[in-house]
Amino acid sequence: CMKGYVLLTVLSLLIVLTEPLSALPDKPAPPAAETPTENTADTKDTATFRVKNEKTGEILTLSEEDFLVAVVSCEMAPSSPVEALKAQTVAAYTYYCKQRAASPDGVFSNVPETLFTVGTEKGMRERFGDQYDKWHTLLTETVRAVKGQKLLYNGEPITACYHAISAGLTEKAADVWGGDYPYLQPVDSSGDLAAEGYETTVTVAPDKLTAALLTLESDFKADGDPAAWFQNADTTKSGFVKTVAVGNKTFTGGKLRTALGLRSACFTVQYKDGSFVFTVHGYGHNVGMSQTGAKYMANAGADYTEILAHYYPGTTLQ
């Protein structure tokens, strides 16, 4: 249980990593993934991807190569290790082939919002400036090196979730979404612990907290000493908050994360100087491949096949 704070154990590790420069999944998350989908055979393995911009209704049709260059440019900085970029490409291709196959007309919209802005040629030219030719060429060559490769489990493309920064141990999908995926289990990602952005803090005044939680539960109420508002936290093996009692209600860590604008559901909270101070570890849902962890592994000498095998155990690369 807890009084005024959620107790989580965090390991420390002295590792020097460069700052992630991605367009930040979960962010999102990743596209790949706030909600996994059921296994679906990839029956629409065409030469194009058709993606819908939910804001404008526009349907963008891109070749597989152009689509992957755009997506990878949104998900991971082109200055990242090439093997990490390859791993990201394969994960994205697997995920979106599955999305395409699951759609009756092959059109899907579960992509980073940035795909329609910074992921376009104009957006990349503005973002990369005089380095555009260099980075676009590198991304194109990376995509071509692994284009067509997918991760399979029992012969079908997997739900290849990924996220920006893990909490040091990735999450079991069942603990986040309820459905169990044999290849989305906790794996070590301790290389993330010293990454810039691994730990963030969010300070929330009691009245702001109340207002945020009222959007989740209209009859939410918390009286008395704010230091005792948070009680009985249940955490996962990876340290994420599954549920926690706040006042007269019990909330999932995921809902609190969304309502309070936290980077992840791996947090502690302490009442200090009249406000709640949330200390948050990681960035994203923590399921599947950590993009920061992939970079760490690549810098340590792993190739993309080793990275993918580590984060998606039991899968095969085809």
Side-chain angles (χ1 to χ4, degrees):
C1 68
M2 104 191 135
K3 292 184 178 181
Y5 62 91
V6 177
L7 179 61
L8 302 177
T9 301
V10 180
L11 302 177
S12 61
L13 185 62
L14 297 177
I15 304 171
V16 178
L17 297 178
T18 56
E19 177 183 6
L21 299 176
S22 68
L24 300 178
D26 227 37
K27 330 170 190 161
E34 287 293 357
T35 306
T37 57
E38 295 300 321
N39 283 343
T40 306
D42 188 1
T43 59
K44 299 185 181 67
D45 195 9
T46 64
T48 63
F49 281 105
R50 300 174 64 212
V51 293
K52 183 177 181 180
N53 186 332
E54 291 290 359
K55 290 185 176 180
T56 66
E58 173 193 9
I59 294 177
L60 187 64
T61 300
L62 296 170
S63 69
E64 288 194 335
E65 182 175 299
D66 288 342
F67 174 78
L68 288 172
V69 168
V71 167
V72 174
S73 77
C74 292
E75 294 291 357
M76 192 174 284
S79 56
S80 302
V82 171
E83 295 303 311
L85 290 169
K86 289 180 181 178
Q88 176 65 68
T89 301
V90 173
Y93 185 62
T94 303
Y95 182 78
Y96 289 114
C97 279
K98 193 174 178 69
Q99 292 286 304
R100 180 173 60 188
S103 170
D105 59 1
V107 177
F108 56 90
S109 59
N110 188 22
V111 295
E113 291 183 7
T114 50
L115 180 71
F116 303 101
T117 53
V118 297
T120 63
E121 179 181 348
K122 178 182 178 182
M124 281 189 274
R125 286 188 179 279
E126 291 177 351
R127 185 163 38 128
F128 299 150
D130 59 8
Q131 297 293 300
Y132 170 79
D133 289 338
K134 172 185 175 180
W135 294 131
H136 189 269
T137 297
L138 183 146
L139 288 169
T140 301
E141 291 176 347
T142 299
V143 166
R144 288 176 179 172
V146 297
K147 180 182 171 184
Q149 296 184 31
K150 299 179 205 164
L151 289 164
L152 307 181
Y153 188 84
N154 286 342
E156 294 188 352
I158 70 168
T159 300
C161 303
Y162 45 87
H163 57 281
I165 309 172
S166 83
L169 184 70
T170 66
E171 195 65 89
K172 183 178 181 179
D175 286 336
V176 178
W177 299 301
D180 194 23
Y181 293 73
Y183 50 83
L184 295 177
Q185 302 295 323
V187 300
D188 176 75
S189 194
S190 53
D192 293 17
L193 295 178
E196 188 168 350
Y198 165 75
E199 181 175 291
T200 54
T201 59
V202 174
T203 301
V204 184
D207 60 333
K208 299 296 184 182
L209 178 77
T210 298
L213 298 191
L214 281 170
T215 66
L216 300 178
E217 296 285 351
S218 60
D219 57 345
F220 168 74
K221 186 178 181 181
D223 296 320
D225 184 3
W229 282 12
F230 284 79
Q231 299 285 337
N232 303 323
D234 180 21
T235 62
T236 68
K237 179 180 179 181
S238 303
F240 275 54
V241 176
K242 294 176 71 174
T243 60
V244 60
V246 189
N248 65 334
K249 295 292 180 178
T250 296
F251 299 94
T252 66
K255 285 189 175 181
L256 287 177
R257 173 198 169 193
T258 300
L260 300 174
L262 309 179
R263 279 190 161 193
S264 84
C266 183
F267 61 82
T268 63
V269 55
Q270 184 176 12
Y271 187 67
K272 183 179 180 181
D273 298 330
S275 293
F276 294 99
V277 179
F278 292 83
T279 301
V280 185
H281 295 117
Y283 191 173
H285 47 64
N286 205 49
V287 178
M289 184 180 74
S290 161
Q291 295 167 318
T292 299
K295 297 174 197 176
Y296 173 79
M297 288 186 66
N299 282 327
D303 67 19
Y304 76 101
T305 65
E306 294 171 307
I307 295 170
L308 294 170
H310 177 73
Y311 283 106
Y312 306 105
T315 62
T316 57
L317 186 63
Q318 176 175 299

